[in-house]
Short mmCIF file of all heavy atoms in Angstrom, two decimals:
data_model
loop_
_atom_site.label_atom_id
_atom_site.label_comp_id
_atom_site.label_asym_id
_atom_site.label_seq_id
_atom_site.Cartn_x
_atom_site.Cartn_y
_atom_site.Cartn_z
N PRO S 2 25.32 37.94 -3.35
CA PRO S 2 24.58 37.01 -2.50
C PRO S 2 25.47 35.87 -2.03
O PRO S 2 26.41 35.47 -2.72
CB PRO S 2 23.45 36.51 -3.42
CG PRO S 2 23.94 36.74 -4.80
CD PRO S 2 24.88 37.89 -4.75
N THR S 3 25.15 35.34 -0.84
CA THR S 3 25.93 34.22 -0.32
C THR S 3 25.53 32.96 -1.06
O THR S 3 24.38 32.78 -1.47
CB THR S 3 25.68 34.03 1.18
OG1 THR S 3 24.29 33.81 1.37
CG2 THR S 3 26.14 35.21 1.97
N LEU S 4 26.48 32.08 -1.25
CA LEU S 4 26.22 30.85 -1.99
C LEU S 4 25.54 29.80 -1.12
O LEU S 4 24.84 28.94 -1.63
CB LEU S 4 27.54 30.29 -2.54
CG LEU S 4 28.24 31.19 -3.56
CD1 LEU S 4 29.57 30.58 -3.95
CD2 LEU S 4 27.36 31.39 -4.79
N LEU S 5 25.76 29.86 0.17
CA LEU S 5 25.18 28.87 1.07
C LEU S 5 24.20 29.54 2.02
O LEU S 5 24.42 30.65 2.48
CB LEU S 5 26.28 28.20 1.90
CG LEU S 5 27.30 27.36 1.15
CD1 LEU S 5 28.38 26.89 2.10
CD2 LEU S 5 26.64 26.17 0.47
N SER S 6 23.13 28.85 2.31
CA SER S 6 22.17 29.36 3.29
C SER S 6 22.80 29.33 4.67
O SER S 6 23.85 28.70 4.89
CB SER S 6 20.90 28.53 3.27
OG SER S 6 21.18 27.24 3.78
N ARG S 7 22.15 29.99 5.59
CA ARG S 7 22.66 30.03 6.97
C ARG S 7 22.77 28.62 7.55
O ARG S 7 23.77 28.27 8.17
CB ARG S 7 21.75 30.90 7.83
CG ARG S 7 22.24 31.07 9.23
CD ARG S 7 21.35 32.08 9.98
NE ARG S 7 21.88 32.35 11.29
CZ ARG S 7 21.50 31.71 12.39
NH1 ARG S 7 20.58 30.79 12.32
NH2 ARG S 7 22.03 32.02 13.55
N SER S 8 21.76 27.81 7.33
CA SER S 8 21.79 26.45 7.87
C SER S 8 22.88 25.61 7.20
O SER S 8 23.54 24.80 7.85
CB SER S 8 20.43 25.77 7.74
OG SER S 8 20.04 25.71 6.39
N ALA S 9 23.09 25.82 5.90
CA ALA S 9 24.14 25.08 5.21
C ALA S 9 25.52 25.47 5.73
O ALA S 9 26.39 24.62 5.90
CB ALA S 9 24.06 25.31 3.71
N ARG S 10 25.70 26.78 6.00
CA ARG S 10 26.98 27.23 6.57
C ARG S 10 27.21 26.63 7.94
O ARG S 10 28.33 26.26 8.30
CB ARG S 10 27.03 28.75 6.62
CG ARG S 10 27.20 29.42 5.26
CD ARG S 10 27.54 30.90 5.37
NE ARG S 10 26.66 31.65 6.22
CZ ARG S 10 25.58 32.33 5.82
NH1 ARG S 10 25.28 32.36 4.54
NH2 ARG S 10 24.83 32.99 6.68
N LEU S 11 26.12 26.51 8.72
CA LEU S 11 26.23 25.92 10.05
C LEU S 11 26.65 24.46 9.97
O LEU S 11 27.50 24.01 10.72
CB LEU S 11 24.89 26.05 10.80
CG LEU S 11 24.85 25.49 12.20
CD1 LEU S 11 25.86 26.18 13.10
CD2 LEU S 11 23.46 25.62 12.78
N VAL S 12 26.07 23.75 9.02
CA VAL S 12 26.43 22.34 8.84
C VAL S 12 27.90 22.21 8.44
O VAL S 12 28.64 21.39 8.99
CB VAL S 12 25.52 21.67 7.79
CG1 VAL S 12 26.03 20.30 7.40
CG2 VAL S 12 24.10 21.57 8.32
N VAL S 13 28.33 23.04 7.50
CA VAL S 13 29.73 23.01 7.06
C VAL S 13 30.66 23.34 8.22
O VAL S 13 31.67 22.67 8.44
CB VAL S 13 29.95 23.96 5.87
CG1 VAL S 13 31.43 24.12 5.56
CG2 VAL S 13 29.20 23.46 4.65
N ALA S 14 30.32 24.37 8.99
CA ALA S 14 31.15 24.75 10.13
C ALA S 14 31.22 23.64 11.17
O ALA S 14 32.28 23.36 11.73
CB ALA S 14 30.61 26.03 10.77
N THR S 15 30.09 22.98 11.40
CA THR S 15 30.07 21.88 12.36
C THR S 15 30.95 20.73 11.90
O THR S 15 31.72 20.17 12.68
CB THR S 15 28.62 21.39 12.57
OG1 THR S 15 27.83 22.48 13.02
CG2 THR S 15 28.56 20.26 13.58
N LEU S 16 30.85 20.39 10.62
CA LEU S 16 31.68 19.30 10.10
C LEU S 16 33.16 19.64 10.15
O LEU S 16 33.99 18.80 10.51
CB LEU S 16 31.25 18.97 8.67
CG LEU S 16 29.89 18.32 8.51
CD1 LEU S 16 29.53 18.19 7.05
CD2 LEU S 16 29.84 16.96 9.20
N LEU S 17 33.51 20.87 9.81
CA LEU S 17 34.91 21.27 9.86
C LEU S 17 35.42 21.26 11.30
O LEU S 17 36.55 20.83 11.56
CB LEU S 17 35.10 22.65 9.23
CG LEU S 17 34.95 22.70 7.71
CD1 LEU S 17 35.01 24.14 7.22
CD2 LEU S 17 36.02 21.85 7.04
#
Side-chain angles (χ1 to χ4, degrees):
T3 59
L4 297 176
L5 296 174
S6 69
R7 184 174 185 266
S8 59
R10 287 193 309 266
L11 180 61
V12 169
V13 170
T15 303
L16 291 174
L17 289 174

